[in-house]
Every structure is written in C-alpha cells, then in structure tokens.
Amino acid sequence: MAKSETSTVEKTHESLNFIEEIIEKDLKNGKNGGRVHTRFPPEPNGYLHLGHAKSICLNFGLAQKYKGLCNLRFDDTNPVTEDTEYVEAIEKDVKWLGFDWGTRKYFASDFFDQLYQYAVALVQSGHAYVCDLTPDQISEMRGKPTEAGKESPFRTRSVAENLDLFERMKNGEFADGSKVLRAKIDMASPNMHLRDPIIYRIRKAKHHRTGDKWNIYPMYDFAHGLCDSLEGITHSVCTLEFEVHRPLYDWFLDSLQTFHPQQIEFARLNINYTVLSKRKLLQLVEEKYVKGWDDPRMPTISGIRRRGYSPESIHYFAEKIGIAKRDNIIDMSLLEFCVREDLNKRAQRGMGVLEPLKLVITNYPEGQVEYLEADNNPEKPESGKRQMPFGREIFIEQEDFMENPPADFYRLAVDREVRLKYAYIIKCNEVLKNEKGEIVEVRCTYEPESKSGQDKTGKKVKSALHWVYAPQAVSAEIRIYDRLFSVEDPEGDKNKDFKEFLNPNSLKVLQNAKLEPFLKEAKLGQYFQFERKGYFVVDPDSRNENLVFNLSVTLKDAYAKGKGK
RNA sequence: UGUCUGGUGGUGCAAUGGUAGCACAACUGAUUUUGGUUCAGUAAGUUCUAGGUUCGAGUCCUAGCCAGACAACCA
C-alpha cells in the first residue's frame, strides 16, 4: 500500500536510480531483445537479513517494474558451510516479503555438470591449468596489491596433461588441497583477482544436494557468472565488494564466448545500532547472545517477522533508502518510521496495561459492569467498534500516576482529573502504599455525567488514559525490545569486538501485563496497537495459559522524549 | 608507493550544464478522548578542496584531500 500510494502521486519526472537508468538505456537500445531478467543469489549458509531484503526488493522489484523475471538462485558451491535448513528459511523469507520466483528456483549445484564442461573447455583453449602449489605457496606467489606476483611453475603444463589431471581431480584421485585448477590470466595484474584465480578446488565433502557425487567444487567467480549466463540473466546486480571481481566475471564469459550478462554493483545496507553481517549474526546465535536467528532483536528477516514488522513496511523501507554506490548508514529511526507508518493504518487497537496499578472508583457501584464502545481503528472507521467491560476496579499504567507530578505531567495525580479513554472522567482522591512505601492502589471518584460520547459536564481534561477492567483482565507476558547494540556503529572500533557493545537491556520481560479480554483470542500474525504504548504481536511462544506478546515498535512519545528517556 | 569506487544539511536519496529539493531525525505551533495520527511551520548545505572550461558548474576538465573495497582452495 505504501507502494501504491507513491505510484498514485503524479510525477512529471520520475527520478531513477542508477541501475534503472542502465536498464532503461539497455531497453532503449534493444539490448537483450528488450528482456530484463534479474536474480537473487543467496548462499544457503545463514539466514537472510535486512541487507538481503534490500537486494530482494531491488531484484524482484526491477523485474516487476520492467515486466521481466527474477530467479531465486542458491549459490551453493561450498558444501562445508551450506545446509538445506538455510534453503528452507530463505525461501520462507522471500515468500513472506511477497515475491514469487515461479518455477525459476535454481541451485548453482544444478549446473555442476555444465560448469565442469566449461572448465574443460577453458583447459582445452589453454586458458586454465592444474597447479600443484600448496595454499601457502599460492598465496605467497600471488604477491601484494602493490607488487606483482610470480608465475606458478605448473603454468606451462600441456593441455593434455592438464586435461588428464583435471579429470583425475574430479575422479577423486588426489587429496583435498593437493591440486587446484587455475585460470591462466596475468600474475602481474594490478587487480589481485586476475592473478591466476582458482576455478576448482578438491573438496571431498558431502554436498547438501549432490551428496558425494563431486570431489571438486567450483569457486564463486567461476560459478556465479556462468550460472547467470546459463539462466539468461541480463542484469546481475550485486554489492560493491564484488566490483573488483567484475573484470574476472567478464573474463570467464568472454573466454568461453557465452551469453554475457552485465554485473552492476550497488552499496550494501548498513543500519546503526545493529550489524548486518551473516558471519557476525551467526556468532550471536552460536554463542547464545540471542535466542536464535529469529530472535526479535535480530535484524534478520525471520527476526523482524517475529518482532511484528510487516512485509509492507519493509518494502516501504527499501523504497525509502534508495539505491546508490556510496557507503551509507541508515538511521534505525527510518526503519521504525516505516513500520509505524504501515501499522498505524492496519493495526487493531486494544488496551494493554504493561505495568499495572490498581485503581478503585469508590463511587461506582460494586458488582456493576457496563460495556463501553471503543474504536477498532480510528484511522479506519469502517473497521468498526468493540465493547469494553468497565467497572469499579480497573488497572492503569504505573507510569500514568505520579505523587508529585512536575508541571508538564498531564496524567493522574492526587486531586487531578483525567479521562479514562472511552469511559468517564475520574478524579484521584487517595493513594494507598505498602509497608515499603510503594504505591499499590489509587482511589478515585468518577463523574457519572461524563460518559464518553455523552459528556454533559463540559469538563476539559489534559489526558485520556488507557485502562483495563480488572475482573476480566487477561494476564500476559510482554517482551519489550530495545536496540541490540548500545552504540551506533558496533563494528567501528577496530580494537574491540563488536559483542562488547551489545545492549544489556535489549530485552525486558514484563510478566504481569493486563490486557483487554478480546486479546485472549489474538492470533499469530495479527497486528495490534495497544493504545498509547505501541504495536504488538503474539509471539510463537504464546500458549493459552501463558500469552506472550512482543513489542514491535513503540508509538512516538513526545513526553518520554522530553524526559530524555 | 598499486588498482577500483565514492564524497550534496545530523542521516539517506534527488537535481542528467540553468533558482540545490524530498524524506527521516530535530525543533515550533494547531487539532486531537492515544503526549499517537493529521495539519501548518522553523532550523539545518561555502554540494571535500584548489584551479580551469562556460553566459552559467553539485554536474564537465586537471590536481590534490578524505573514505571504502581488493592480497580465502569463502561468497
């Protein structure tokens, strides 16, 4: 919906990002026969995060915009790190974001036979050779960025010998690490990736899809571009760190004289107060700093889904951050804005008292219950009304009462009046404390003439509090989340491990929240706003006898902000 | 002392040789039975620097400065 809104805005000149400009130019020139075909190529070695969401929205979005196609391709050329668990999680995440790859789900491993044939062709044309150097020797002879490398002594092997050796590598005759197939390019190239890069390595490992079929596996640079080519990808969009790989990407395609997609690089997403690196997220999971990949504090897609962010809000976010080539750090507040923007229009309203304080209305008849009408969503009148029970004893939020209120506190205090939203105006008369001096109950009187919608008192009060009728209140556990890290850039300090900056208060569990009765029936996947507090969803841990809700994001709070909270 | 890429309000993204604009964040005010939403407004830029081309430069050229990426049998 965020999308349709912006598309209905009349624009005399729509500004394009640089990738769209390239595509429109290609379309205009008739390149690729007017075809636009992209792909999203994750490696199934971890869960997807918001950085991937940016890429997914970009690749699938480009295909939609230009009436093309976008493939889902698992880049599974490294059997030791990859697993089908990740494949399933990735598919679920892409679907959740609302994208459809149709029948075009591919695995790099689907192409292993063809890739092998391409490698043989490279050997035959003298473009590749088998090298017996050890990993250390290869690394050392590659040189440094500022100085040329040295050629391998095996570089001059005959085509026949290379062919024989490569086939025997495939057949498992040699030990892991004893030989590799290398491209014969230029050991003096200023681009390190062109100094006879490795194409195939021996790895006698079980692959999640091909099992024990292969003893050798292709490297990324070789496999990726050729898979793009085989799939007919026209625009191969990736992140900036692959920019230096592009000459190699082009070299393989040119050497093999096969269909040549165009690699285009854009800047990866960074967000402050979190990390977007699969490796670091994996550490947080493995070392149990979080409860799992889908911990609601994680910037993973599964995490934000569990947290209660909507797919639409992520689309909106992806649109807002734009696409460019310069390094960027997006404010977390922009993400939260996008979430609120979407949820405000769709979330069912309800009352939830997070930290309850008992309130007794002394002049309200004991045992009497009445039902009051409340809006399901004031932004959407068509969403109707519901009935809320009301009576003598209710719960209000502890923070909505103060004994010695400062001037800017509009809420309840002794001798002050406020409205109970959708109910009556009340006045506080008395505070009850326990032996420790803690406030345990406030006693008020109500104005029978002030009923919501039929107020005859003409009184103006400064605030309207949320509340829950005590006898019918539903108890719940509420998990309050805060940013995962306490500093903007946890990876910024080279001398410190990013985990030192983890926010110790990123999770706060409230065990005794009191909710409006209908919330007992809340279902997984429904979005709620607890009035004045924030957006909440049911957590998968929730049970009938122990309801659990997650805070997605708080409402904006001008008062708390003023207090420096 | 290498190669590639990039530098526009605090943060992102635009402006495609012709008045530097939009959003988030911040701050005012109005409205409000959510201190939400909505609405109106304010502040915030020597467009990295210095030269040059041009009637005119954020945009083109030259030089410099700064930042990021690149030396896995990872992707």
Side-chain angles (χ1 to χ4, degrees), chain A residues 122-137:
Chain A
L122 239 28
V123 172
Q124 282 168 333
S125 61
H127 284 301
Y129 63 97
V130 172
C131 180
D132 300 356
L133 256 23
T134 65
D136 284 349
Q137 288 170 319

Side-chain angles (χ1 to χ4, degrees), chain A residues 96 133 205 233 247 266 338 346 353 488:
Chain A
W96 179 74
L133 256 23
I233 301 303
F266 70 99
C338 293
R346 63 198 309 170
V353 175
E488 282 201 40

Side-chain angles (χ1 to χ4, degrees), chain A residues 55 149 263 287 292 353 382 389 397 435 443 479 508 519:
Chain A
S55 175
Q263 176 178 305
E287 297 167 26
V353 175
E382 69 275 19
E397 206 72 62
E435 56 286 354
R443 301 178 79 82
R479 299 177 182 168
K508 190 164 115 192
L519 288 163

Side-chain angles (χ1 to χ4, degrees), chain A residues 175-195:
Chain A
D176 280 17
S178 61
K179 284 179 168 44
V180 289
L181 183 71
R182 291 229 255 172
K184 192 188 288 186
I185 309 180
D186 178 8
M187 291 306 291
S189 170
N191 184 334
M192 298 294 288
H193 297 278
L194 259 21
R195 322 244 266 222

Side-chain angles (χ1 to χ4, degrees), chain A residues 337-434:
Chain A
F337 164 80
C338 293
V339 174
R340 290 188 187 106
E341 184 79 359
D342 180 50
L343 261 25
N344 177 46
K345 291 176 214 139
R346 63 198 309 170
Q348 161 77 45
R349 306 294 130 116
M351 300 280 193
V353 175
L354 273 32
E355 297 177 284
L357 170 62
K358 187 174 170 189
L359 185 153
V360 177
I361 300 165
T362 52
N363 62 338
Y364 196 91
E366 242 168 289
Q368 180 175 318
V369 181
E370 66 181 304
Y371 287 84
L372 304 167
E373 205 165 57
D375 291 328
N376 284 327
N377 184 343
E379 304 297 315
K380 264 193 332 190
E382 69 275 19
S383 64
K385 313 255 189 195
R386 66 182 190 282
Q387 302 293 314
M388 290 182 68
F390 177 81
R392 192 169 199 266
E393 292 190 5
I394 63 172
F395 292 114
I396 64 165
E397 206 72 62
Q398 286 170 21
E399 64 173 17
D400 285 339
F401 177 84
M402 273 186 102
E403 238 189 328
N404 301 299
D408 65 348
F409 184 83
Y410 309 162
R411 283 108 98 149
L412 194 62
V414 175
D415 291 332
R416 295 229 308 224
E417 291 184 322
V418 297
R419 174 174 290 283
L420 293 172
K421 189 162 184 186
Y422 298 127
Y424 300 90
I425 290 175
I426 55 169
K427 179 176 186 177
C428 178
N429 308 302
E430 193 184 359
V431 185
L432 269 46
K433 296 181 183 176
N434 62 15

Side-chain angles (χ1 to χ4, degrees), chain A residues 9 25 36 38 61 70 75 105 119 128 134 174-175 210 249 263 329 335 343 361 371 512 549 560:
Chain A
V9 173
K25 187 165 134 263
V36 173
T38 56
C70 180
D75 219 330
K105 174 172 84 175
T134 65
F174 307 115
T210 61
Y249 182 99
Q263 176 178 305
I329 302 174
L335 211 210
L343 261 25
I361 300 165
Y371 287 84
N512 191 34
F549 281 81

